[in-house]
Amino acid sequence: MPATIALADLSWATPDGRPLFSHLSLSFGPQRTGLVGRNGVGKSTLLALIAGALPLQTGAVTVSGTLGVLRQGAHLRADETVADLFGVADGLALLRRAERGVATMDELAEADWTLETRLEGALARLALDVTPGTPLAALSGGQRTRVALAALVFAEPDFLLLDEPTNNLDAEGRAAVAALLAGWKAGAIVVSHDPDLLEGMDAIVELTSLGATSYGGGWSRYRALKAQELAAARHDLDEAEKRVADAARRAQEAVERQARRDGAGRRKADKGDMPRLLLGMRQDSAERSAGAGARLADARGAQAADAAAIARARIEVLQPLSITLASTHLPAQKVVLALEEVTAGYAEGHPILDGLPLTVTGPERVAVEGPNGSGKSTLLAVIAGRLAPWSGAVRVHTGLALLDQRVSVLDPALSVLENFRRLNPGATENSCRAALARFRFRADAALQGVASLSGGELMRAGLACVLGGEAPPPLLILDEPTNHLDIDAIEVVEAGLRAYDGALLVVSHDLAFLQAIGVTRWLAPGRLRN
């Protein structure tokens, strides 16, 4: 029997009572499935429920087969070695004892003589040049993620459950993950916003507030089908709005006809040529007829309005976000940032930045590239004043905003709306609400506590609070801004940053994103490339 995962009538709500999905039923077989959807819709929660990491609220999850769940770098113990992560430290120690001739006969009978070969093969599949004894603390975050993926491959599970596996990975790491999944013959459920990775999926499942929809094929086919659905939804909305207008027109015509009849009746009564009893009967009949007509008109109007509301909600789910930004009024060719032969690092005698020069002029767009561990985060820390250079100077000539991966510009103890007011103290209530609504924090959503937001919602809130005001900063520094954003939100950020007229300094491994926002220069710490 092939391995399967079945979800039956599954419902889940956050601790504050916000429903993520209701009565969800899905099944997964031995194929590669991309799980997509907007931030906060419940993708990571769904993976955790499948893995048994969260208790069920209602419904059932049935797993036939073994699961391999990606352990993100943040959850790895720094004192572990690669062998510890793979669970083979004891087995390797036994092989070393056997080589020295000190293993017992019972131990030799238990020895796995293929262990080292299989271990090397798993590491090679993720393009890793590490040894079993390498401490995880010596690896960058991206390298840890790849080691964790290699450990999953080594275990040969029936299903891989991967939550954003290419986050924090450089180009080589992304290519290795794509190659791994391209050759994976068992089942896989992959939460990702990476179009290149999703292109190789056998199916795409989209999770929305309306439920889950499965699409056969990879990313391109999914987008084509979504475009057809959006066109159909817009047609349905047009038709529904026509019915609303038609119902309103008919109701008005009915009111006008009744008014004419009432006028005629009054004129007849004024003549006095009709018995009062008959006149009263006619009046009662007219009132009953008018009341029935009004009730019918109200019912038709309500039905049409309901249909229009459903159509609008459908479009809200299907269509990408869109935002606009105010101008920074940054003059062309104004120097916004200058690094003068900066040398910096964390351990004396081992500089990470060594005599780095850098000048950014408005509205230039500079991307910071390089493999994991090459000094990108160190550069941002120096520019932001979090790390003092050993030598050289850092000169920032305009206001700047830094959105790091934790979006630490936001106060987690406050709501989204309160953070916006804190960062934009001159904004009115209406302007605050309007700015947040452009980033889909409407009505009560703007009152959510920042601490309760998902990773993607957090980045969206940070962008809203920093860029949504009347005076966006002339220099914006972004550290891996697409790491926790869903695909629709990435498209919004791309569109917003294309409209942004300030200077950009962006750390990202996402080449498609960098090209979309119009990067004109690439910087690798230690060298410049135009």
Side-chain angles (χ1 to χ4, degrees), residues 105-188:
M105 292 301 294
D106 289 341
E107 287 178 328
L108 290 174
E110 296 176 0
D112 180 356
W113 303 102
T114 68
L115 180 59
E116 289 181 297
T117 300
R118 291 189 296 111
L119 180 59
E120 290 172 0
L123 292 170
R125 287 187 70 174
L126 272 299
L128 285 160
D129 184 18
V130 296
T131 67
T134 301
L136 297 180
L139 304 177
S140 69
Q143 289 171 320
R144 289 187 186 188
T145 298
R146 287 161 63 190
V147 169
L149 280 167
L152 294 188
V153 173
F154 180 80
E156 298 182 343
D158 296 306
F159 277 95
L160 291 175
L161 302 183
L162 308 182
D163 193 353
E164 299 288 4
T166 57
N167 270 7
N168 300 311
L169 295 187
D170 54 25
E172 182 183 14
R174 285 173 177 245
V177 173
L180 164 66
L181 286 171
W184 188 252
K185 303 303 181 185

Side-chain angles (χ1 to χ4, degrees), residues 166-289:
T166 57
N167 270 7
N168 300 311
L169 295 187
D170 54 25
E172 182 183 14
R174 285 173 177 245
V177 173
L180 164 66
L181 286 171
W184 188 252
K185 303 303 181 185
I189 304 176
V190 184
V191 172
S192 179
H193 67 262
D194 187 338
D196 293 334
L197 187 64
L198 293 171
E199 187 62 49
M201 298 292 104
D202 300 306
I204 302 291
V205 170
E206 182 185 33
L207 195 62
T208 73
S209 59
L210 302 179
T213 306
S214 182
Y215 302 83
W219 175 249
S220 298
R221 176 171 170 76
Y222 159 75
R223 293 297 283 180
L225 293 173
K226 287 288 290 182
Q228 293 175 13
E229 287 184 8
L230 181 57
R234 285 175 173 155
H235 177 268
D236 290 346
L237 178 59
D238 288 342
E239 292 298 313
E241 289 179 337
K242 287 178 183 176
R243 289 195 294 272
V244 169
D246 186 55
R249 177 181 57 78
R250 289 184 178 184
Q252 181 61 34
E253 290 174 350
V255 169
E256 293 172 355
R257 283 195 301 270
Q258 186 62 42
R260 288 194 295 270
R261 285 195 294 266
D262 290 345
R266 285 192 298 272
R267 288 192 296 275
K268 188 76 170 175
D270 290 343
K271 291 180 179 180
D273 58 357
M274 181 179 293
R276 289 191 177 185
L277 178 60
L278 180 59
L279 183 63
M281 291 174 62
R282 285 194 174 187
Q283 185 174 352
D284 290 343
S285 176
E287 289 175 353
R288 286 194 299 271
S289 176

Side-chain angles (χ1 to χ4, degrees), residues 41-121:
V41 78
K43 303 184 297 295
S44 296
T45 298
L46 191 60
L47 282 194
L49 290 171
I50 293 172
L54 282 176
L56 296 175
Q57 292 179 348
T58 62
V61 175
T62 304
V63 178
S64 170
T66 57
L67 301 178
V69 184
L70 175 63
R71 296 174 62 194
Q72 292 283 4
H75 304 297
L76 301 178
R77 295 202 323 270
D79 60 342
E80 287 181 305
T81 66
V82 170
D84 292 325
L85 182 59
F86 275 66
V88 298
D90 292 342
L92 291 175
L94 172 55
L95 293 179
R96 300 289 82 81
R97 291 198 300 276
E99 290 173 354
R100 297 196 303 271
V102 297
T104 67
M105 292 301 294
D106 289 341
E107 287 178 328
L108 290 174
E110 296 176 0
D112 180 356
W113 303 102
T114 68
L115 180 59
E116 289 181 297
T117 300
R118 291 189 296 111
L119 180 59
E120 290 172 0

